Amino acid sequence: MAELEGSTANLHLDEVTGERVSKTELKKRQKQRAAEEKKRERAAVAPAPSQGTRSTSAEEDESNLSPNQYFEIRSAKIKKLRETKNPDPYPHKFNVTTDLREFLKKYETIKTGEHLKDVEIRVGGRIYTKRASGTKLVFYDIRAEGVKVQVMCQAQEATGSIPFEQQHEHLRRGDIIGIVGYPGRTAPRNRPEGELSIFAKEVILLTPCLHQIPSEHYGFKDQEQRYRQRYLDLIMNDNSRNVFVTRSKMISYIRRFFDEKDFIEVETPMMNAIAGGATAKPFITHHNDLNMDLFMRVAPELYLKMLVVGGLERVYEMGRQFRNEGIDLTHNPEFTTCEFYMAYADVYDIMDITEELVSGLVKHLIGGHETTFHTQTGEEYKVNWQKPWKRIEMIPALEEACGEKFPPGLELHTKETNEFLSRILNKMKVDCTPPRTNARMLDKLVGEFIEEKCINPTFITGHPQMMSPLAKYHRSNPGLCERFEAFVCKKEIVNAYTELNDPFDQRLRFEEQARQKDQGDDEAQMVDENFCTSLEFGLPPTGGWGMGIDRLVMFLTDHYSIKEVLAFPFMKDVQGQGKEKKLAAEVTDVEPMPEEGIRKF
């Protein structure tokens, strides 16, 4: 009992809880309560923090905006810079001395941590990513000429009249900037090799991007929008850029090929009183001053042959043609062709030139002759472009496919043959929409049973004369003509023939075309009196040739849609699209400056 009373006497009262505890425990509790009281006092005088948020950069905040919100805010900020000129968001000039492609090649051997501070680099490019580490260190990834390079910006390196923070606070993804700096390679702590970079001394805004550009993670993949906004497609997708670079190289090679063979490049009219030179439906336009309808050209053939009559014995033209026909994966209303005409050559010479040109072009572009092409349905074709190419005679091949003997060449244009071909179509279950002319029905059979076998480059020869109003008759097969079409992956890329230079025969051919037009064939050619007259002055024996540039680009860049290889393909208008969309000047209420000759209505 005495021991219990002694232990109780050593306990102390905790006035907060009413408990009796040891002296050590009481001091511990009192100390903890004092600390909590001080914490509450500090919290009482501190500004209330925003709930559930952390400190974020301006770029992170803007990433949560809708595209319209971003556009309006960004436009307003750039409008203010236009007014203050601090800095000028649209300077007149920035002197670029270094090509980024050359930069990457020249300085790829720089070692990790090495800096060449005595070498000045001046480049321009578009910002793709921006990363800040505090307020004194900013990284950019910029792109130009199809390559990317990192730019490292440190406050201690900054020069120029504008302070470091102000150089970077206005810059966003998509902006075009100029960089003055020196080459070097970073020395990261977490990996052994650094990244070749430009260490910036000064960064200058050259042109702001007012719109949000897609993130690199999600990219810009919507096919419809890629075609309508090709500029954004090129900004975001290197593959699209590579297609047009390849296209340019192809055209340069073709021009060089003909120039080296002593051909003359010429230009012929785009608008004509008569749509001739090809079997196709033309576009019609109108000349106001002359009050006359004109046709956009479907082919330059007749003009080029008239030049050969005049003594320009080797001519070629690269240019646009316009055909008012269907739009599909391989057809666009306007497209690019190359045509050449060579005096004293025939269809067999032209075959050799075709093999030499196209085979050499493929070798020049890819270093070999084998390419791969994928169709819309996912079929994969391995194509060997090396010469010589396979040759198929049209009528014998159709006879083999259909199991019947076709009428002789001299009868292929008759009514009896029309009935024969109609029966063959029904037998082989091949559809041909009206008008069911002999030429159209034969063309359908060829497409079904011959073209379908042409994966590697193949010449189809021996066309009937009534399918080829501008080709010369065959020297040994009556009723046929000296013509070939070259097919690859089941599609035509070249059409060529020994040119018809007999003015008597040409008149009859045109009259047959006129008869087909009367039957309802809108694609049949008209009689061109001026061309017929030119033949009466004498066209030497001549070989002629035409190739579709767009389609060849498709095969060599592995694209099944022609829209992928045209910078700005024809697109159907979407009703109401864009009407509610405002431009930057409208969003920011910029008033137009008065200009002489511009009236307000």
Side-chain angles (χ1 to χ4, degrees), residues 110-116 183-188 192-195 199:
I110 289 181
K111 297 177 181 178
T112 296
E114 183 180 0
H115 298 159
L116 304 181
R185 191 176 291 274
T186 59
E193 185 176 356
E195 184 172 349
F199 289 78

Side-chain angles (χ1 to χ4, degrees), residues 36 74 89 107 190 192 210 232 256 259 329 349 501 534 569 588:
E36 290 175 352
R74 179 75 163 145
Y107 299 108
N190 57 350
L210 303 182
L232 184 55
R256 189 163 59 249
D259 291 343
L329 288 174
D349 299 318
N501 62 342
S534 74
T588 56

